[in-house]
Amino acid sequence: MSDGMGAGPAGELSRRLQAPSPRYGEKVIQGLLAFCGLLSVLTTTPIVISLVGPTIGFFEIVPAREFFFEIDWTPQFEPPSFGVLSIVAGTLNVTLWAMVFAIPIGLGTAVYLGEYASPRVRKTVKPALEILAGIPTVAIGIFALTFILPDVIQPLWPGEFLGGAEGKPFMALAASLGIGLMVVPIIASVSDDAMSAVPRGLR
C-alpha cells in the first residue's frame, strides 16, 4: 500500500516535468552544439598530425638531450644552439609571480562579490569582469611593455638594487604583472561562480 502511494506522486511529478509537445528548437540547438564540438576536434586533429613530421625531422637533427637540458636558445647563431631549458624556466618563473599577484586579488574580489557586495554593485562589477577577461593577450603584452615597465617598475625600483630596473629580470617582472592583470578577472569570475554554487547554509 505504501509502495503504491510512493509511486503515485513520483509518476505524477515525472509527467509534469515532461514537455507537453516536442521541442524541436532544443534539438536543433543540441545538434549545433554537437557540431561545434565535432568541428573543434576535426580542426585540432590535423594540426597535431601536421606537427608530427616536422617534430621527428627536428629531433633527427638536434639531439633530445641538447633540446631538453641545454640552456642556450640561439638558433640563428653559428654554431646554433637549441636548448629550451632556460625558456621553460623563464616561463615558469613568470607564471609563478603572476599567480602570486593574481590569486589573492582574484579570490578577494570573488569573496567581496559573493558575500559583501550589494546586488547593484554585483550587477555592475560582474559583467565588467567578464569583459576584462576577454581582453586579447597581445593588448596586455603591449600594455606591460609600454606602461608597466617604463612607468611603474623603473620609477619605483630602488636604485641599483639587483642591477637596477633596466635588466632582463624586470622584463620578466613586467610580464608577470601583465599576466597577473589578465588572469585576475578569470580567477575572480570562476571563483565567484563556484562560491555561488555552494548553498548558503554550508557557507
Side-chain angles (χ1 to χ4, degrees):
M1 183 174 179
S2 60
D3 293 342
M5 292 178 62
E12 182 181 352
L13 178 61
S14 176
R15 286 193 297 271
R16 282 205 303 259
L17 292 176
Q18 292 178 354
S21 60
R23 296 182 178 179
Y24 297 107
E26 291 185 0
K27 294 182 179 180
V28 171
I29 293 174
Q30 290 178 358
L32 289 175
L33 293 176
F35 173 75
C36 291
L38 179 63
L39 184 62
S40 65
V41 173
L42 293 177
T43 303
T44 307
T45 302
I47 295 175
V48 175
I49 294 174
S50 67
L51 293 175
V52 172
T55 302
I56 295 174
F58 174 80
F59 281 112
E60 288 177 350
I61 300 173
V62 179
R65 181 182 177 281
E66 176 185 347
F67 180 75
F68 289 108
F69 297 105
E70 296 292 333
I71 62 173
D72 294 325
W73 179 264
T74 54
Q76 296 181 344
F77 287 17
E78 190 60 41
S81 179
F82 296 93
V84 78
L85 188 60
S86 60
I87 298 176
V88 173
T91 301
L92 294 177
N93 181 40
V94 169
T95 303
L96 171 65
W97 293 112
M99 293 302 101
V100 168
F101 172 78
I103 289 176
I105 298 176
L107 291 180
T109 303
V111 171
Y112 171 74
L113 290 176
E115 302 295 334
Y116 300 103
S118 64
R120 182 176 181 180
V121 173
R122 180 179 173 83
K123 289 180 180 179
T124 303
V125 175
K126 181 71 172 177
L129 288 175
E130 302 292 345
I131 294 174
L132 291 175
I135 296 178
T137 55
V138 174
I140 296 293
I142 294 175
F143 176 74
L145 185 62
T146 59
F147 176 75
I148 294 178
L149 179 62
D151 296 332
V152 176
I153 296 177
Q154 290 180 353
L156 297 180
W157 195 260
E160 297 300 321
F161 180 66
L162 294 179
E166 301 291 342
K168 292 181 180 179
F170 305 98
M171 291 292 290
L173 180 59
S176 299
L177 293 178
I179 294 174
L181 290 174
M182 180 179 65
V183 174
V184 163
I186 300 174
I187 295 176
S189 180
V190 173
S191 300
D192 179 61
D193 292 339
M195 293 172 60
S196 300
V198 178
R200 184 165 293 273
L202 291 179
R203 289 203 296 245

